[in-house]
Amino acid sequence: MPTGYFVILLPIDSDYKIMGYYFKEGKSDFKITNDLFLRLNLDHSKNEYNLLKIKDLQIFSYNHKFKGKITRKASGIIIGLLLNENDKPEKFRSSLKEAAEAFEIPSLNILNKSREEFELILKDIYLEHLEPLIDILQPEALKASIINITKFMLSGDKQERKIAQELVEKIENKEHIKISENYKMAENAIKSLDYEKAAKFYNKAAEIAESFYIMDIATSLREKGDFLQQIPELSKEREKIVQEARNALRNEDFHTAYTYYRRASEISKRLVQFDKEEEYRLKSKALEDFYKIDEKYRKNK
């Protein structure tokens, strides 16, 4: 489970600015140091998503590029989720992106917020976007969210009041529970590595969520489904590349081998599979070093 998160602003004309922290337990010794920022900034110069492991903590971060007028003052933000060492970062991929995008909403006016004002916003965005979906998608939590929507609609025009009544009827018929059921079936399909089936269940859950007008949840579910649909093809591509690396290694073609392993590492990062990313990156680095040493001594012969 996440223990908290932070947001770093990347201004155009000055150094980075720590906008604030939010910790679920209310306090923590965790701080962004200059060294830690440099590591994050360097990694994000190459990748949108990044994972850093520090002792018993994982920092799963996303580099969000701003669009529109705000880019005159800042290029974007780095948002980092603090996870325990046993948490799986890939589960938070879409929600981390959504949270980052939420900070760009013009009405928040984040560039003109004090640290204290910003940290009040951090909690709201955490609860709306970063709280694990398994908690948000509990039937009672869904029911509460939908009821809040109906209350808002009841103060609207005739059409909105009609929609509100239809939503109440659907809740009474327990149709909202189908969102939870499809989500759980998607999670079970993932455990069986059946990503195609998981994507279908996620998209079905998203479709039902849209019918209840809980659009933030629908968007998160839809993105999970879309991402899972890419996994089989990317995995096959990586498998082929790794095999090419092994073939090159058997032929003592170390340059080709480390190049292929580097590509496998990059694909693993796109898949948010950081264990594989590390494995292939380290193999690539070791073979690259060996190749350079081998070339040096070949020239000296």
Side-chain angles (χ1 to χ4, degrees), residues 146-157 160-161 164:
I146 298 164
I147 287 174
N148 285 334
I149 292 170
T150 62
K151 288 177 180 177
F152 177 79
M153 287 184 167
L154 285 170
S155 62
D157 58 25
E160 288 180 328
R161 292 196 298 272

Side-chain angles (χ1 to χ4, degrees), residues 182-202 228:
N182 278 278
Y183 173 77
K184 289 176 182 176
M185 287 189 284
E187 292 289 290
N188 288 333
I190 290 174
K191 291 176 184 177
S192 302
L193 303 181
D194 192 340
Y195 298 114
E196 185 175 348
K197 182 183 287 187
K200 289 179 180 178
F201 284 130
Y202 273 132
L228 287 176

Side-chain angles (χ1 to χ4, degrees), residues 23 58 67 111 113 142 145 157 163 183 216 274:
F23 302 111
Q58 299 185 94
K67 300 174 184 176
L111 296 183
K113 289 286 189 295
L142 284 169
S145 295
D157 58 25
I163 294 172
Y183 173 77
D216 54 337
F274 289 103

Side-chain angles (χ1 to χ4, degrees), residues 9-12 66-67 69-76 111:
L9 183 70
L10 304 173
I12 296 295
F66 286 152
K67 300 174 184 176
K69 294 181 180 180
I70 195 171
T71 56
R72 298 171 185 171
K73 295 184 178 180
S75 62
L111 296 183

Side-chain angles (χ1 to χ4, degrees), residues 235-246:
S235 296
K236 286 179 183 178
E237 182 183 350
R238 182 181 62 189
E239 185 178 341
K240 182 179 178 181
I241 288 171
V242 169
Q243 188 57 53
E244 292 288 350
R246 290 169 180 160

Side-chain angles (χ1 to χ4, degrees), residues 70-175:
I70 195 171
T71 56
R72 298 171 185 171
K73 295 184 178 180
S75 62
I77 58 172
I78 294 175
I79 177 171
L81 194 59
L82 307 178
L83 301 173
N84 292 309
E85 57 185 339
N86 296 322
D87 289 329
K88 295 184 178 180
E90 59 268 24
K91 288 190 173 184
F92 300 95
R93 181 181 179 277
S94 59
S95 53
L96 193 63
K97 181 180 179 182
E98 288 169 17
E101 291 171 346
F103 286 105
E104 196 174 356
I105 296 172
S107 60
L108 285 183
N109 195 20
I110 65 170
L111 296 183
N112 295 318
K113 289 286 189 295
S114 67
R115 179 76 168 265
E116 292 74 19
E117 291 172 322
F118 190 81
E119 290 188 342
L120 292 175
I121 296 171
L122 284 170
K123 181 178 180 180
D124 291 338
I125 288 182
Y126 179 87
L127 294 175
E128 184 174 354
H129 296 284
L130 294 172
E131 188 80 353
L133 273 178
I134 191 63
D135 297 331
I136 298 171
L137 296 182
Q138 293 296 329
E140 287 304 310
L142 284 169
K143 183 178 179 180
S145 295
I146 298 164
I147 287 174
N148 285 334
I149 292 170
T150 62
K151 288 177 180 177
F152 177 79
M153 287 184 167
L154 285 170
S155 62
D157 58 25
K158 183 178 179 180
Q159 181 62 27
E160 288 180 328
R161 292 196 298 272
K162 180 183 177 182
I163 294 172
Q165 184 58 44
E166 290 172 353
L167 291 179
V168 170
E169 291 174 4
K170 289 168 75 173
I171 291 173
E172 290 173 351
N173 293 331
K174 298 185 178 181
E175 292 182 35

